[in-house]
Amino acid sequence: MTKAGFLGFIFLLFSLGFAIFPGLDKKSIKEIEKTFGTADFKLEPISIQEEINSILPMKIAPENLYKIKKSDALLGYAFWNQAPSKTAMFDYLVIFDDSLKIINVKVLVYREDYGGEIGSNRWLKQFIGKSRADRIKAGENIDVISGATISVNSMTREMDNLLQSIEILKTKDQI
């Protein structure tokens, strides 16, 4: 194989890797490490049966939901996704403990000039402690942010749909 062919092959592998596992970026890994206080873990993608996925408020793909394990012990779960803001999408990560209670939420990439306040730890901590039994709504049990209405509503809706989906997955023995 020529040097150019080898470099092309390496580029293709990296490109496919990021396309197949978009949530597995350095920011996500660092956030999981920080949350659990260890770099010694593995991520196992969770595949959901199609008939169950079709009834979920939020569709789950194997590149979105992972078990976080250290050795054979379950530490928790990680969920990566994108949500709409005014004109673009933002990336976020939700980390659950082993009982499916939210222990960390992080906006990884925000691509707008306005509304980035939803990425502040002060605002995101409102989701900490929420579990699959909770319903959440902006303006009711989640504070709104002036100037970030679209992003606040989007993130709150995403979190509510995620918690409802997690509840269904748990009752159907999918996680």
Side-chain angles (χ1 to χ4, degrees):
M1 178 181 286
T2 67
K3 185 176 180 180
F6 178 73
L7 291 175
F9 177 72
I10 295 299
F11 176 76
L12 179 65
L13 282 179
F14 276 107
S15 298
L16 288 175
F18 289 119
I20 295 170
F21 301 109
L24 293 179
D25 62 0
K26 288 181 183 180
K27 285 183 181 180
S28 299
I29 299 299
K30 285 189 178 287
E31 204 60 35
I32 294 168
E33 289 174 357
K34 185 175 89 174
T35 301
F36 291 106
T38 183
D40 182 28
F41 64 87
K42 64 181 178 177
L43 295 171
E44 293 180 4
I46 298 174
S47 294
I48 307 300
Q49 294 173 5
E50 187 54 43
E51 61 272 8
I52 293 174
N53 209 356
S54 68
I55 65 170
L56 298 178
M58 175 179 283
K59 304 306 175 228
I60 307 290
E63 63 270 10
N64 292 98
L65 184 61
Y66 302 89
K67 285 183 183 178
I68 305 167
K69 289 187 160 185
K70 182 175 182 175
S71 301
D72 285 332
L74 177 66
L75 297 177
Y77 300 87
F79 178 78
W80 178 92
N81 206 8
Q82 292 185 316
S85 53
K86 186 174 183 178
T87 62
M89 302 291 278
F90 62 90
D91 304 349
Y92 68 93
L93 176 71
V94 180
I95 302 174
F96 296 89
D97 66 11
D98 60 347
S99 66
L100 294 167
K101 182 174 67 172
I102 296 173
I103 56 175
N104 193 357
V105 180
K106 183 79 171 178
V107 174
L108 301 166
V109 179
Y110 192 81
R111 298 174 179 88
E112 298 273 358
D113 293 332
Y114 300 101
E117 297 88 352
I118 67 160
S120 74
N121 290 332
R122 183 176 179 200
W123 189 77
L124 291 171
K125 73 180 180 181
Q126 299 177 90
F127 298 107
I128 305 299
K130 303 287 186 201
S131 68
R132 55 197 177 96
D134 292 315
R135 294 298 306 266
I136 52 179
K137 186 170 169 113
E140 290 182 15
N141 55 359
I142 298 296
D143 293 336
V144 296
I145 302 172
S146 179
T149 307
I150 294 170
S151 298
V152 163
N153 288 332
S154 178
M155 183 65 171
T156 303
R157 188 173 39 256
E158 288 281 314
M159 295 297 289
D160 190 54
N161 287 340
L162 174 60
L163 290 173
Q164 289 180 65
S165 296
I166 293 294
E167 171 65 14
I168 293 167
L169 293 173
K170 186 65 177 169
T171 60
K172 302 278 187 186
D173 290 326
Q174 292 289 294
I175 53 175

